[in-house]
Amino acid sequence: MASTSSAEGAHQTNPEKVKLVTVLSIDGGGVRGIIPAIILSFLEEKLQELDGPDARIADYFDVVAGTSTGGLLTAMLTAPGKNGRPLFDAKDLAQFYIDHSPKIFPQKNWILSKIFGTLRMVRGPKYDGKYLHALLRQYLGDLRLDKALTNVIIPTFDIAFLQPTIFSSFELKQRPYKNALLSDISIGTSAAPTFFPAHYFETKDANGSTRAFNLVDGGLAANNPTLCAMNQVTKDIILGDGDFFPVKPVDYGKFMVISLGCGSNRKSRYSAKAAAKWGIFNWLIKDGTAPIIDMFNAASGDMVDIHLCVLFRALRSSHNYLRIQYDQLTGSAGSIDDCSKENVDKLVKIGKDLLNKTVSRVDLETGWNVDVPGEGTNAEKLAKFAKQLSDERRLRQKLPK
C-alpha cells in the first residue's frame, strides 16, 4: 500500500492487486483521543506480529480519515519523519496525549478552573491554543498534505462560507490550493468552538493565486468522518482514477472499514421540560459541558454508524465493517478537556477495557450500543482485520506491476 507519499504510493499499485479498499477513520473528542490511541496501538502491535517490528498503520490503509482530535492522530500516523517512515508509532500516541494535554488544556485549582473557564467561555475561547499550535508546528514543520504517507482525509468547517471544507489527498489534482500545511489543517480541524479560537491561514497554488481559510472544528460537519472518507474514494473512482481503486462507485462490498470513536456519554441525557427553559447560555455551557456541541457530535457519529451498518448489512459484508465506540462515559471521562491524572488514567483504562468488550452496533431506537452475536470481542475482531490487512498488503507486493 502507499508507503512513500499518497501521490507515489497510489500509482504504484495496479488494479489486479487491489482486492479491498481499506479505510481507517477516527472521531473527534479532545483528550478522549486517548481511547482510539489505545486501540490503534493494539492494532499496530498485531500487524507487527504478522509482518515484523517495522510495520506501521500507514502501510496498510488506503485512506486514513480523522476529525478534530482524530485529525491530529491522522497527521501523526501518516506524516513522514526524517527517515521517511511515520512520525509516530501507534504505541506512542496515548503517551503524547498524557504528556501534552495538561499544557494544551491548562488547569489550575479544579473549582477555580471550572469557574474561570466558564467565564472565559462567555467572553471568548476557553483556551488560547498557543501551546497546541506551537506543538503541531514543531512536529509537522513544513510538511504539506501531499507528503502524507497514504491518502488522508480531514474535515473542517469554513465559517466564511458556512460549509464544510474537506482536506483530501484525492482533491489535490483538481484543487491544488488545498495542499495546505498539515499543521494548519490539524489546527483548523481541532478548533472546537468555545474551546479554541478559529484558525485563519492562506495557501497559494502554482499560479500564485491565494485562497483564504477561516476554519473551526470539523466535528460541526463530520465528527465521525467514515462516510466522508468513503464518499471521497467513490468520487475519485467516478473521476476516473481506476488504476488505484478498480471498483465500481457503489461497490462498497470491497471496502474494509475500521471506525474508532472517542466515547460518548449516554447517561447525561436532557429532558424537553428542562431544555425548554434554556437560553443561549445553557445551550452553550451547562455543568462544565457544552450541550449543543455534545449533541452535534453524538448525532453526527451515530447517524454515520447507522447508515454504514445498514449499508454493509444490505451488501452482506457486515464482516468488513468494525465500529469501536464506548457509550457509557460518566463524569469527567465525558469531558473533552479534563486532563487531570485521574481522568487520563481512567481514559487509558477505558481504551484497554474496550478491547475486551463484545463487538457492538448502535441501536436506532434506544441509542445504546448492542452486542453483535458471534463477532467476539473487539480485540479478536481487530486481530482478524490485521490478518486481512497483512494478506492484502502481501498480495499487492507479490503480484507484478
Side-chain angles (χ1 to χ4, degrees):
M1 303 201 180
S3 59
T4 52
S5 72
S6 58
E8 295 176 5
H11 297 290
Q12 288 176 350
T13 305
N14 90 27
E16 289 73 22
K17 293 186 178 185
V18 179
K19 302 303 179 185
L20 290 171
V21 177
T22 54
V23 178
L24 172 64
S25 175
I26 313 167
D27 287 12
V31 71
R32 301 200 312 261
I34 288 173
I35 296 174
I38 296 293
I39 307 298
L40 290 165
S41 177
F42 177 85
L43 176 60
E44 190 167 271
E45 180 183 335
K46 290 301 171 185
L47 292 168
Q48 290 171 346
E49 289 176 4
L50 294 166
D51 295 333
D54 292 333
R56 297 291 182 270
I57 294 286
D59 300 329
Y60 296 85
F61 287 94
D62 296 318
V63 186
V64 180
T67 297
S68 194
T69 201
L72 303 188
L73 289 168
T74 295
M76 290 189 284
L77 288 168
T78 62
K82 292 180 180 179
N83 61 354
R85 299 296 289 146
L87 193 61
F88 280 82
D89 297 350
K91 64 181 176 61
D92 297 326
L93 296 176
Q95 191 61 47
F96 176 90
Y97 279 83
I98 293 169
D99 292 342
H100 295 290
S101 290
K103 295 180 181 178
I104 295 172
F105 306 108
Q107 309 288 320
K108 298 179 181 179
N109 174 277
W110 186 85
I111 296 177
L112 291 177
S113 177
K114 190 170 183 179
I115 295 172
F116 288 117
T118 300
L119 291 175
R120 282 195 301 271
M121 291 172 76
V122 173
R123 297 188 305 161
K126 188 174 182 180
Y127 307 105
D128 61 25
K130 290 181 180 179
Y131 183 84
L132 176 61
H133 298 185
L135 194 65
L136 292 172
R137 302 288 190 206
Q138 173 190 336
Y139 279 104
L140 298 173
D142 59 358
L143 292 171
R144 293 186 178 272
L145 180 58
D146 65 345
K147 297 303 180 184
L149 297 174
T150 191
N151 296 292
V152 167
I153 294 170
I154 300 179
T156 66
F157 190 84
D158 195 314
I159 57 176
F161 296 97
L162 291 181
Q163 66 179 19
T165 294
I166 299 169
F167 290 90
S168 166
S169 301
F170 300 113
E171 294 190 346
L172 294 183
K173 287 182 181 178
Q174 291 78 30
R175 297 176 175 84
Y177 60 83
K178 284 192 174 181
N179 191 27
L181 291 172
L182 282 170
S183 57
D184 277 325
I185 297 172
S186 299
I187 293 169
T189 193
S190 59
T194 75
F195 286 91
F196 290 112
H199 185 53
Y200 177 87
F201 65 91
E202 298 178 355
T203 61
K204 288 186 178 181
D205 61 20
N207 299 319
S209 299
T210 300
R211 166 65 190 269
F213 294 91
N214 299 265
L215 304 182
V216 296
D217 195 337
L220 293 181
N223 198 58
N224 176 348
T226 312
L227 192 57
C228 179
M230 295 177 69
N231 287 344
Q232 285 286 304
V233 173
T234 302
K235 181 179 177 181
D236 197 61
I237 294 168
I238 293 172
L239 292 176
D241 193 11
D243 58 335
F244 187 50
F245 295 123
V247 296
K248 297 177 181 178
V250 294
D251 193 3
Y252 285 125
K254 287 191 175 181
F255 279 76
M256 191 185 82
V257 177
I258 298 176
S259 175
L260 305 179
C262 289
S264 62
N265 185 357
R266 299 298 184 195
K267 293 186 177 181
S268 286
R269 301 188 176 192
Y270 306 100
S271 71
K273 287 184 178 180
K277 301 174 184 177
W278 290 359
I280 293 175
F281 186 84
N282 288 128
W283 278 103
L284 291 176
I285 305 169
K286 187 169 181 61
D287 300 326
T289 66
I292 190 66
I293 295 176
D294 291 342
M295 292 176 192
F296 272 131
N297 290 344
S300 169
D302 286 350
M303 284 304 295
V304 170
D305 187 24
I306 292 165
H307 177 86
L308 292 178
C309 282
V310 172
L311 178 61
F312 277 90
R313 188 178 304 166
L315 295 170
R316 300 183 185 278
S317 56
S318 293
H319 57 283
N320 278 351
Y321 174 62
L322 175 63
R323 171 71 170 169
I324 300 181
Q325 173 71 310
Y326 183 75
D327 65 354
Q328 299 179 48
L329 294 178
T330 57
S332 61
S335 169
I336 71 169
D337 64 338
D338 187 333
C339 51
S340 64
K341 185 179 186 305
E342 179 184 5
N343 191 55
V344 166
D345 289 346
K346 187 187 301 184
L347 293 172
V348 170
K349 185 177 186 303
I350 288 170
K352 291 179 178 179
D353 290 346
L354 192 52
L355 288 167
N356 296 318
K357 290 188 177 295
T358 303
V359 172
S360 62
R361 299 278 189 274
V362 67
D363 183 271
L364 180 59
E365 294 299 321
T366 66
W368 293 96
N369 286 342
V370 295
D371 293 348
V372 180
E375 288 290 336
T377 66
N378 288 317
E380 291 169 339
K381 187 71 172 179
L382 283 169
K384 291 179 181 178
F385 271 42
K387 181 63 167 62
Q388 286 182 269
L389 289 165
S390 176
D391 290 345
E392 177 73 11
R393 187 181 184 218
R394 289 171 185 269
L395 178 66
R396 297 186 188 189
Q397 292 175 332
K398 182 178 179 181
L399 293 177
K401 296 180 182 179

